[in-house]
Amino acid sequence: MFRLSNISIGIKLSVMSGLGILLVAGMLGASLYNNSLVKASNDVSSTQQQIVIDLKTLDTVFLNVRTAMRDIRLADDAAELQSADKLSASEKTIDALVDGLSPRLKMAENRERLAKLKENIKQYIGVAQKEIVPFMVESLKIDIKDGARIAEMRAKMKAIQKERMDSLVAKAKALVEQVIDIASKLATKADEGAEAQMKSAEHVNLVIGSVVMLILLGSALFGALTIAKPLKALVKPLEDVAGGNFAISVPGVGRKDEVGQIANAVAQMAEKVSSTIG
């Protein structure tokens, strides 16, 4: 039959200490694991927020392209036309932004949207460089007195703007807004995930900490009842033997642990001393 009194004190102490160590290790492991999840969520949020910033920068550069396009159409001479033509520099900036953004977009649909956005902007710039700018160069050569010819040229440019370029602008703006919306939602979701994970970590640590406290309290109570109390009970018989009283009852005799061994030794000592004196 299993009895706690048959287990040695060393094993009892080892088990109690081992339980405490295991629970503390579990708390540390859970804390590290939850921290890694929180960090991962924060990294995702940070990445998506930076994507949103870069997309807004891309949208601003495209706005600068459209502003340059307006300045080109309003140029009154070759010098103004040349200073307004900043399309090539803007195209390089847009290419660099898109090339940096694309690998960070995890959704294939977003990468496709970004590719379409880049293509729409390049088409817009292409129309501006190959058609609008040459029209402007030609119109500036026309004698100012030839109002009809100038009006015809400007009407053609306006038609190109309205029929081809405005649709490209609308498509590009829609694509930018879609990608920004998705990236913003992913960032918000990651923030919410990090917050939920932090709350979960706090709950887990609280539960494990409470269990550790209960185990330690139980260990202290267990040690007091199964080790300290039986040892204290042996003080009286030892005092009686020391005082010459050998007719004693020793508690703990029959136990298999160290307390039982001491109790057996005290009982045998009292019996032998009493027999010797008799």
Side-chain angles (χ1 to χ4, degrees):
M1 180 179 178
F2 174 77
R3 296 178 63 184
L4 289 174
S5 60
N6 293 334
I7 301 174
S8 70
I9 293 175
I11 293 177
K12 291 175 184 174
L13 293 174
S14 298
V15 170
M16 289 187 291
S17 300
L19 283 174
I21 292 171
L22 283 175
L23 287 170
V24 171
M27 186 191 309
L28 291 174
S31 179
L32 290 172
Y33 175 69
N34 285 317
N35 286 342
S36 68
L37 292 179
V38 170
K39 183 180 181 301
S41 296
N42 286 334
D43 289 344
V44 171
S45 175
S46 177
T47 299
Q48 296 303 320
Q49 289 172 2
Q50 186 58 52
I51 287 172
V52 170
I53 292 172
D54 290 346
L55 284 166
K56 289 182 177 179
T57 302
L58 178 60
D59 192 36
T60 300
V61 175
F62 186 39
L63 176 61
N64 293 338
V65 168
R66 301 198 299 276
T67 302
M69 188 66 252
R70 181 203 62 190
D71 294 341
I72 288 171
R73 290 180 58 195
L74 295 175
D76 291 328
D77 53 45
E80 287 185 8
L81 180 61
Q82 186 175 5
S83 63
D85 188 7
K86 303 171 184 176
L87 301 176
S88 297
S90 296
E91 185 174 15
K92 290 179 181 178
T93 301
I94 290 169
D95 287 344
L97 283 169
V98 171
D99 291 343
L101 271 167
S102 187
R104 288 181 284 154
L105 297 178
K106 296 187 179 300
M107 297 176 61
E109 297 88 342
N110 266 359
R111 290 195 294 273
E112 290 175 4
R113 290 188 183 102
L114 189 64
K116 289 179 181 177
L117 171 63
K118 179 180 178 180
E119 183 59 30
N120 283 338
I121 295 175
K122 289 180 80 69
Q123 286 180 21
Y124 182 93
I125 293 174
V127 172
Q129 289 176 327
K130 295 175 183 178
E131 298 184 41
I132 299 297
V133 172
F135 263 124
M136 281 301 302
V137 171
E138 185 178 348
S139 68
L140 291 174
K141 294 178 181 178
I142 300 173
D143 192 328
I144 194 171
K145 295 179 181 179
D146 193 353
R149 177 63 177 157
I150 293 174
E152 180 186 355
M153 297 290 291
R154 292 193 178 274
K156 288 181 179 180
M157 286 188 289
K158 187 175 181 180
I160 292 172
Q161 177 77 41
K162 185 176 181 180
E163 295 171 8
R164 298 169 59 190
M165 301 181 78
D166 286 352
S167 62
L168 291 171
V169 171
K171 290 177 182 178
K173 290 179 69 175
L175 289 167
V176 167
E177 288 172 0
Q178 288 174 2
V179 181
I180 287 177
D181 182 60
I182 293 172
S184 298
K185 287 179 179 177
L186 288 174
T188 301
K189 184 178 179 181
D191 286 337
E192 292 172 351
E195 186 177 354
Q197 198 61 47
M198 289 175 67
K199 290 181 179 178
S200 174
E202 290 175 359
H203 179 71
V204 169
N205 287 337
L206 181 61
V207 171
I208 295 178
S210 300
V211 173
V212 170
M213 291 176 63
L214 289 173
I215 291 294
L216 293 177
L217 182 61
S219 297
L221 185 61
F222 179 77
L225 293 176
T226 64
I227 298 174
K229 186 178 179 181
L231 286 173
K232 186 176 180 180
L234 293 175
V235 174
K236 180 72 168 57
L238 286 170
E239 290 176 343
D240 289 341
V241 171
N245 179 17
F246 304 111
I248 58 173
S249 174
V250 183
V253 174
R255 292 171 60 123
K256 303 299 182 183
D257 59 0
E258 289 84 344
V259 174
Q261 294 171 11
I262 295 172
N264 290 334
V266 171
Q268 291 174 12
M269 178 184 68
E271 183 179 352
K272 289 182 179 179
V273 172
S274 176
S275 176
T276 299
I277 293 174

mmCIF file of all heavy atoms in Angstrom, residues 88-127:
data_model
loop_
_atom_site.group_PDB
_atom_site.id
_atom_site.type_symbol
_atom_site.label_atom_id
_atom_site.label_comp_id
_atom_site.label_asym_id
_atom_site.label_seq_id
_atom_site.Cartn_x
_atom_site.Cartn_y
_atom_site.Cartn_z
ATOM 1 N N SER A 88 10.754 62.684 -66.420
ATOM 2 C CA SER A 88 11.729 61.591 -66.370
ATOM 3 C C SER A 88 12.222 61.351 -64.938
ATOM 4 O O SER A 88 12.329 60.207 -64.477
ATOM 5 C CB SER A 88 12.917 61.881 -67.281
ATOM 6 O OG SER A 88 12.498 61.953 -68.633
ATOM 7 N N ALA A 89 12.505 62.441 -64.205
ATOM 8 C CA ALA A 89 12.970 62.314 -62.823
ATOM 9 C C ALA A 89 11.887 61.689 -61.948
ATOM 10 O O ALA A 89 12.162 60.817 -61.112
ATOM 11 C CB ALA A 89 13.363 63.680 -62.269
ATOM 12 N N SER A 90 10.640 62.112 -62.169
ATOM 13 C CA SER A 90 9.526 61.549 -61.393
ATOM 14 C C SER A 90 9.333 60.076 -61.698
ATOM 15 O O SER A 90 9.032 59.273 -60.803
ATOM 16 C CB SER A 90 8.234 62.324 -61.703
ATOM 17 O OG SER A 90 8.351 63.663 -61.287
ATOM 18 N N GLU A 91 9.532 59.706 -62.961
ATOM 19 C CA GLU A 91 9.375 58.291 -63.344
ATOM 20 C C GLU A 91 10.406 57.418 -62.644
ATOM 21 O O GLU A 91 10.097 56.319 -62.175
ATOM 22 C CB GLU A 91 9.498 58.158 -64.853
ATOM 23 C CG GLU A 91 9.221 56.744 -65.350
ATOM 24 C CD GLU A 91 9.211 56.653 -66.865
ATOM 25 O OE1 GLU A 91 9.693 57.598 -67.524
ATOM 26 O OE2 GLU A 91 8.726 55.638 -67.386
ATOM 27 N N LYS A 92 11.634 57.901 -62.528
ATOM 28 C CA LYS A 92 12.673 57.141 -61.825
ATOM 29 C C LYS A 92 12.329 56.985 -60.345
ATOM 30 O O LYS A 92 12.526 55.920 -59.750
ATOM 31 C CB LYS A 92 14.019 57.845 -61.974
ATOM 32 C CG LYS A 92 14.598 57.784 -63.384
ATOM 33 C CD LYS A 92 15.927 58.516 -63.470
ATOM 34 C CE LYS A 92 16.494 58.474 -64.893
ATOM 35 N NZ LYS A 92 17.770 59.227 -64.990
ATOM 36 N N THR A 93 11.812 58.047 -59.736
ATOM 37 C CA THR A 93 11.417 57.990 -58.331
ATOM 38 C C THR A 93 10.293 56.971 -58.129
ATOM 39 O O THR A 93 10.323 56.175 -57.171
ATOM 40 C CB THR A 93 10.938 59.377 -57.851
ATOM 41 O OG1 THR A 93 11.980 60.326 -58.031
ATOM 42 C CG2 THR A 93 10.551 59.329 -56.386
ATOM 43 N N ILE A 94 9.331 56.982 -59.027
ATOM 44 C CA ILE A 94 8.210 56.032 -58.946
ATOM 45 C C ILE A 94 8.695 54.598 -59.119
ATOM 46 O O ILE A 94 8.278 53.693 -58.381
ATOM 47 C CB ILE A 94 7.141 56.383 -60.000
ATOM 48 C CG1 ILE A 94 6.439 57.681 -59.596
ATOM 49 C CG2 ILE A 94 6.131 55.245 -60.154
ATOM 50 C CD1 ILE A 94 5.548 58.268 -60.675
ATOM 51 N N ASP A 95 9.589 54.369 -60.065
ATOM 52 C CA ASP A 95 10.149 53.020 -60.270
ATOM 53 C C ASP A 95 10.848 52.520 -59.005
ATOM 54 O O ASP A 95 10.679 51.356 -58.605
ATOM 55 C CB ASP A 95 11.139 53.032 -61.436
ATOM 56 C CG ASP A 95 10.439 53.153 -62.784
ATOM 57 O OD1 ASP A 95 9.220 52.915 -62.833
ATOM 58 O OD2 ASP A 95 11.119 53.483 -63.781
ATOM 59 N N ALA A 96 11.629 53.405 -58.364
ATOM 60 C CA ALA A 96 12.350 53.020 -57.151
ATOM 61 C C ALA A 96 11.375 52.692 -56.021
ATOM 62 O O ALA A 96 11.566 51.710 -55.276
ATOM 63 C CB ALA A 96 13.295 54.144 -56.719
ATOM 64 N N LEU A 97 10.321 53.495 -55.872
ATOM 65 C CA LEU A 97 9.327 53.250 -54.817
ATOM 66 C C LEU A 97 8.600 51.930 -55.039
ATOM 67 O O LEU A 97 8.417 51.140 -54.107
ATOM 68 C CB LEU A 97 8.319 54.406 -54.773
ATOM 69 C CG LEU A 97 8.797 55.706 -54.111
ATOM 70 C CD1 LEU A 97 7.807 56.829 -54.387
ATOM 71 C CD2 LEU A 97 8.960 55.499 -52.610
ATOM 72 N N VAL A 98 8.180 51.684 -56.272
ATOM 73 C CA VAL A 98 7.451 50.439 -56.587
ATOM 74 C C VAL A 98 8.348 49.231 -56.390
ATOM 75 O O VAL A 98 7.928 48.215 -55.818
ATOM 76 C CB VAL A 98 6.905 50.482 -58.026
ATOM 77 C CG1 VAL A 98 6.341 49.111 -58.427
ATOM 78 C CG2 VAL A 98 5.830 51.550 -58.153
ATOM 79 N N ASP A 99 9.604 49.314 -56.843
ATOM 80 C CA ASP A 99 10.535 48.189 -56.696
ATOM 81 C C ASP A 99 10.813 47.886 -55.220
ATOM 82 O O ASP A 99 11.042 46.732 -54.843
ATOM 83 C CB ASP A 99 11.852 48.498 -57.413
ATOM 84 C CG ASP A 99 11.679 48.532 -58.932
ATOM 85 O OD1 ASP A 99 10.658 48.005 -59.413
ATOM 86 O OD2 ASP A 99 12.555 49.103 -59.618
ATOM 87 N N GLY A 100 10.797 48.921 -54.392
ATOM 88 C CA GLY A 100 10.998 48.713 -52.957
ATOM 89 C C GLY A 100 9.755 48.190 -52.263
ATOM 90 O O GLY A 100 9.843 47.449 -51.273
ATOM 91 N N LEU A 101 8.598 48.570 -52.760
ATOM 92 C CA LEU A 101 7.335 48.158 -52.140
ATOM 93 C C LEU A 101 6.939 46.721 -52.479
ATOM 94 O O LEU A 101 6.465 45.979 -51.618
ATOM 95 C CB LEU A 101 6.216 49.097 -52.605
ATOM 96 C CG LEU A 101 5.964 50.348 -51.777
ATOM 97 C CD1 LEU A 101 5.052 51.304 -52.538
ATOM 98 C CD2 LEU A 101 5.328 49.971 -50.448
ATOM 99 N N SER A 102 7.105 46.332 -53.713
ATOM 100 C CA SER A 102 6.594 45.057 -54.200
ATOM 101 C C SER A 102 6.998 43.846 -53.352
ATOM 102 O O SER A 102 6.154 43.030 -52.993
ATOM 103 C CB SER A 102 7.013 44.844 -55.654
ATOM 104 O OG SER A 102 6.404 43.695 -56.186
ATOM 105 N N PRO A 103 8.299 43.688 -52.984
ATOM 106 C CA PRO A 103 8.675 42.499 -52.196
ATOM 107 C C PRO A 103 8.040 42.468 -50.804
ATOM 108 O O PRO A 103 7.937 41.403 -50.202
ATOM 109 C CB PRO A 103 10.204 42.624 -52.082
ATOM 110 C CG PRO A 103 10.609 43.575 -53.149
ATOM 111 C CD PRO A 103 9.470 44.516 -53.304
ATOM 112 N N ARG A 104 7.607 43.625 -50.307
ATOM 113 C CA ARG A 104 7.045 43.679 -48.950
ATOM 114 C C ARG A 104 5.541 43.406 -48.925
ATOM 115 O O ARG A 104 4.961 43.280 -47.843
ATOM 116 C CB ARG A 104 7.334 45.050 -48.319
ATOM 117 C CG ARG A 104 8.797 45.233 -47.942
ATOM 118 C CD ARG A 104 9.022 46.589 -47.301
ATOM 119 N NE ARG A 104 9.020 47.651 -48.289
ATOM 120 C CZ ARG A 104 8.706 48.916 -48.022
ATOM 121 N NH1 ARG A 104 8.351 49.259 -46.811
ATOM 122 N NH2 ARG A 104 8.748 49.827 -48.968
ATOM 123 N N LEU A 105 4.939 43.344 -50.096
ATOM 124 C CA LEU A 105 3.504 43.041 -50.163
ATOM 125 C C LEU A 105 3.318 41.527 -50.177
ATOM 126 O O LEU A 105 3.732 40.853 -51.116
ATOM 127 C CB LEU A 105 2.892 43.669 -51.414
ATOM 128 C CG LEU A 105 2.944 45.202 -51.488
ATOM 129 C CD1 LEU A 105 2.347 45.686 -52.799
ATOM 130 C CD2 LEU A 105 2.209 45.831 -50.317
ATOM 131 N N LYS A 106 2.702 41.003 -49.133
ATOM 132 C CA LYS A 106 2.568 39.547 -49.010
ATOM 133 C C LYS A 106 1.447 38.996 -49.882
ATOM 134 O O LYS A 106 1.481 37.839 -50.284
ATOM 135 C CB LYS A 106 2.328 39.176 -47.538
ATOM 136 C CG LYS A 106 3.512 39.527 -46.644
ATOM 137 C CD LYS A 106 3.316 39.009 -45.242
ATOM 138 C CE LYS A 106 4.515 39.341 -44.366
ATOM 139 N NZ LYS A 106 5.760 38.749 -44.868
ATOM 140 N N MET A 107 0.425 39.815 -50.158
ATOM 141 C CA MET A 107 -0.709 39.348 -50.955
ATOM 142 C C MET A 107 -0.404 39.508 -52.443
ATOM 143 O O MET A 107 -0.016 40.589 -52.899
ATOM 144 C CB MET A 107 -1.973 40.134 -50.590
ATOM 145 C CG MET A 107 -2.422 39.933 -49.147
ATOM 146 S SD MET A 107 -3.854 40.963 -48.725
ATOM 147 C CE MET A 107 -5.067 40.356 -49.893
ATOM 148 N N ALA A 108 -0.594 38.417 -53.187
ATOM 149 C CA ALA A 108 -0.327 38.444 -54.628
ATOM 150 C C ALA A 108 -1.219 39.477 -55.330
ATOM 151 O O ALA A 108 -0.782 40.151 -56.274
ATOM 152 C CB ALA A 108 -0.563 37.058 -55.226
ATOM 153 N N GLU A 109 -2.469 39.623 -54.829
ATOM 154 C CA GLU A 109 -3.382 40.596 -55.437
ATOM 155 C C GLU A 109 -2.842 42.018 -55.311
ATOM 156 O O GLU A 109 -2.971 42.833 -56.239
ATOM 157 C CB GLU A 109 -4.764 40.508 -54.777
ATOM 158 C CG GLU A 109 -5.465 39.165 -54.955
ATOM 159 C CD GLU A 109 -5.096 38.179 -53.854
ATOM 160 O OE1 GLU A 109 -4.067 38.410 -53.184
ATOM 161 O OE2 GLU A 109 -5.836 37.205 -53.675
ATOM 162 N N ASN A 110 -2.226 42.304 -54.167
ATOM 163 C CA ASN A 110 -1.672 43.645 -53.974
ATOM 164 C C ASN A 110 -0.464 43.892 -54.871
ATOM 165 O O ASN A 110 -0.264 45.009 -55.370
ATOM 166 C CB ASN A 110 -1.285 43.852 -52.509
ATOM 167 C CG ASN A 110 -2.400 44.519 -51.730
ATOM 168 O OD1 ASN A 110 -3.446 44.853 -52.280
ATOM 169 N ND2 ASN A 110 -2.196 44.722 -50.446
ATOM 170 N N ARG A 111 0.344 42.854 -55.050
ATOM 171 C CA ARG A 111 1.500 42.999 -55.952
ATOM 172 C C ARG A 111 1.023 43.240 -57.384
ATOM 173 O O ARG A 111 1.631 44.021 -58.130
ATOM 174 C CB ARG A 111 2.394 41.757 -55.874
ATOM 175 C CG ARG A 111 3.135 41.626 -54.538
ATOM 176 C CD ARG A 111 4.262 40.629 -54.636
ATOM 177 N NE ARG A 111 3.781 39.279 -54.864
ATOM 178 C CZ ARG A 111 3.429 38.433 -53.894
ATOM 179 N NH1 ARG A 111 3.528 38.808 -52.620
ATOM 180 N NH2 ARG A 111 3.010 37.210 -54.169
ATOM 181 N N GLU A 112 -0.058 42.571 -57.768
ATOM 182 C CA GLU A 112 -0.623 42.781 -59.107
ATOM 183 C C GLU A 112 -1.170 44.204 -59.234
ATOM 184 O O GLU A 112 -0.985 44.859 -60.273
ATOM 185 C CB GLU A 112 -1.744 41.770 -59.356
ATOM 186 C CG GLU A 112 -1.239 40.335 -59.517
ATOM 187 C CD GLU A 112 -2.379 39.335 -59.651
ATOM 188 O OE1 GLU A 112 -3.549 39.778 -59.687
ATOM 189 O OE2 GLU A 112 -2.102 38.120 -59.701
ATOM 190 N N ARG A 113 -1.831 44.689 -58.180
ATOM 191 C CA ARG A 113 -2.352 46.063 -58.201
ATOM 192 C C ARG A 113 -1.210 47.062 -58.333
ATOM 193 O O ARG A 113 -1.319 48.052 -59.063
ATOM 194 C CB ARG A 113 -3.154 46.343 -56.929
ATOM 195 C CG ARG A 113 -4.476 45.591 -56.837
ATOM 196 C CD ARG A 113 -5.294 46.065 -55.653
ATOM 197 N NE ARG A 113 -6.527 45.289 -55.525
ATOM 198 C CZ ARG A 113 -6.703 44.310 -54.647
ATOM 199 N NH1 ARG A 113 -5.717 43.980 -53.828
ATOM 200 N NH2 ARG A 113 -7.851 43.662 -54.581
ATOM 201 N N LEU A 114 -0.135 46.807 -57.585
ATOM 202 C CA LEU A 114 1.010 47.723 -57.637
ATOM 203 C C LEU A 114 1.639 47.722 -59.025
ATOM 204 O O LEU A 114 2.039 48.779 -59.538
ATOM 205 C CB LEU A 114 2.046 47.315 -56.576
ATOM 206 C CG LEU A 114 3.194 48.287 -56.347
ATOM 207 C CD1 LEU A 114 2.657 49.605 -55.798
ATOM 208 C CD2 LEU A 114 4.211 47.695 -55.382
ATOM 209 N N ALA A 115 1.712 46.546 -59.651
ATOM 210 C CA ALA A 115 2.265 46.460 -61.011
ATOM 211 C C ALA A 115 1.388 47.223 -62.005
ATOM 212 O O ALA A 115 1.890 47.937 -62.886
ATOM 213 C CB ALA A 115 2.390 44.996 -61.427
ATOM 214 N N LYS A 116 0.057 47.091 -61.839
ATOM 215 C CA LYS A 116 -0.866 47.824 -62.720
ATOM 216 C C LYS A 116 -0.741 49.326 -62.485
ATOM 217 O O LYS A 116 -0.794 50.122 -63.435
ATOM 218 C CB LYS A 116 -2.302 47.377 -62.448
ATOM 219 C CG LYS A 116 -2.617 45.973 -62.938
ATOM 220 C CD LYS A 116 -4.045 45.597 -62.605
ATOM 221 C CE LYS A 116 -4.368 44.169 -63.068
ATOM 222 N NZ LYS A 116 -5.756 43.772 -62.684
ATOM 223 N N LEU A 117 -0.578 49.703 -61.206
ATOM 224 C CA LEU A 117 -0.409 51.113 -60.870
ATOM 225 C C LEU A 117 0.827 51.691 -61.556
ATOM 226 O O LEU A 117 0.770 52.771 -62.172
ATOM 227 C CB LEU A 117 -0.296 51.264 -59.346
ATOM 228 C CG LEU A 117 0.094 52.649 -58.808
ATOM 229 C CD1 LEU A 117 -0.960 53.677 -59.175
ATOM 230 C CD2 LEU A 117 0.293 52.585 -57.301
ATOM 231 N N LYS A 118 1.926 50.949 -61.464
ATOM 232 C CA LYS A 118 3.168 51.394 -62.107
ATOM 233 C C LYS A 118 2.977 51.526 -63.616
ATOM 234 O O LYS A 118 3.421 52.511 -64.229
ATOM 235 C CB LYS A 118 4.280 50.396 -61.797
ATOM 236 C CG LYS A 118 5.621 50.746 -62.423
ATOM 237 C CD LYS A 118 6.670 49.699 -62.058
ATOM 238 C CE LYS A 118 8.011 50.008 -62.718
ATOM 239 N NZ LYS A 118 9.032 48.981 -62.371
ATOM 240 N N GLU A 119 2.298 50.561 -64.205
ATOM 241 C CA GLU A 119 2.082 50.582 -65.659
ATOM 242 C C GLU A 119 1.201 51.767 -66.063
ATOM 243 O O GLU A 119 1.464 52.443 -67.065
ATOM 244 C CB GLU A 119 1.426 49.274 -66.096
ATOM 245 C CG GLU A 119 1.204 49.144 -67.600
ATOM 246 C CD GLU A 119 2.500 49.242 -68.399
ATOM 247 O OE1 GLU A 119 3.567 48.847 -67.871
ATOM 248 O OE2 GLU A 119 2.438 49.714 -69.555
ATOM 249 N N ASN A 120 0.154 52.059 -65.259
ATOM 250 C CA ASN A 120 -0.723 53.193 -65.567
ATOM 251 C C ASN A 120 0.035 54.515 -65.500
ATOM 252 O O ASN A 120 -0.135 55.390 -66.361
ATOM 253 C CB ASN A 120 -1.904 53.237 -64.588
ATOM 254 C CG ASN A 120 -2.964 52.203 -64.925
ATOM 255 O OD1 ASN A 120 -3.050 51.736 -66.055
ATOM 256 N ND2 ASN A 120 -3.766 51.831 -63.955
ATOM 257 N N ILE A 121 0.869 54.654 -64.486
ATOM 258 C CA ILE A 121 1.643 55.898 -64.341
ATOM 259 C C ILE A 121 2.643 56.044 -65.494
ATOM 260 O O ILE A 121 2.820 57.139 -66.050
ATOM 261 C CB ILE A 121 2.364 55.934 -62.977
ATOM 262 C CG1 ILE A 121 1.333 55.993 -61.839
ATOM 263 C CG2 ILE A 121 3.302 57.132 -62.887
ATOM 264 C CD1 ILE A 121 1.933 55.920 -60.446
ATOM 265 N N LYS A 122 3.282 54.912 -65.853
ATOM 266 C CA LYS A 122 4.253 54.963 -66.965
ATOM 267 C C LYS A 122 3.539 55.316 -68.276
ATOM 268 O O LYS A 122 4.084 56.058 -69.108
ATOM 269 C CB LYS A 122 4.980 53.614 -67.079
ATOM 270 C CG LYS A 122 5.950 53.362 -65.942
ATOM 271 C CD LYS A 122 6.651 52.019 -66.099
ATOM 272 C CE LYS A 122 7.792 52.109 -67.096
ATOM 273 N NZ LYS A 122 8.899 52.921 -66.596
ATOM 274 N N GLN A 123 2.327 54.783 -68.447
ATOM 275 C CA GLN A 123 1.556 55.128 -69.649
ATOM 276 C C GLN A 123 1.211 56.616 -69.644
ATOM 277 O O GLN A 123 1.300 57.283 -70.684
ATOM 278 C CB GLN A 123 0.268 54.298 -69.703
ATOM 279 C CG GLN A 123 0.485 52.843 -70.084
ATOM 280 C CD GLN A 123 -0.825 52.064 -70.131
ATOM 281 O OE1 GLN A 123 -1.904 52.651 -70.266
ATOM 282 N NE2 GLN A 123 -0.735 50.750 -70.027
ATOM 283 N N TYR A 124 0.827 57.127 -68.487
ATOM 284 C CA TYR A 124 0.501 58.551 -68.361
ATOM 285 C C TYR A 124 1.710 59.406 -68.734
ATOM 286 O O TYR A 124 1.605 60.345 -69.525
ATOM 287 C CB TYR A 124 0.055 58.835 -66.927
ATOM 288 C CG TYR A 124 -0.352 60.271 -66.665
ATOM 289 C CD1 TYR A 124 -1.674 60.664 -66.775
ATOM 290 C CD2 TYR A 124 0.595 61.232 -66.318
ATOM 291 C CE1 TYR A 124 -2.062 61.990 -66.542
ATOM 292 C CE2 TYR A 124 0.228 62.545 -66.089
ATOM 293 C CZ TYR A 124 -1.100 62.920 -66.192
ATOM 294 O OH TYR A 124 -1.470 64.223 -65.970
ATOM 295 N N ILE A 125 2.864 59.038 -68.149
ATOM 296 C CA ILE A 125 4.086 59.797 -68.433
ATOM 297 C C ILE A 125 4.482 59.636 -69.906
ATOM 298 O O ILE A 125 4.938 60.586 -70.553
ATOM 299 C CB ILE A 125 5.230 59.337 -67.505
ATOM 300 C CG1 ILE A 125 4.911 59.718 -66.053
ATOM 301 C CG2 ILE A 125 6.563 59.959 -67.929
ATOM 302 C CD1 ILE A 125 5.904 59.184 -65.033
ATOM 303 N N GLY A 126 4.270 58.430 -70.434
ATOM 304 C CA GLY A 126 4.591 58.182 -71.843
ATOM 305 C C GLY A 126 3.766 59.047 -72.769
ATOM 306 O O GLY A 126 4.290 59.630 -73.738
ATOM 307 N N VAL A 127 2.462 59.155 -72.501
ATOM 308 C CA VAL A 127 1.599 60.011 -73.325
ATOM 309 C C VAL A 127 2.044 61.459 -73.223
ATOM 310 O O VAL A 127 2.102 62.195 -74.221
ATOM 311 C CB VAL A 127 0.121 59.864 -72.883
ATOM 312 C CG1 VAL A 127 -0.752 60.900 -73.603
ATOM 313 C CG2 VAL A 127 -0.383 58.462 -73.182
#
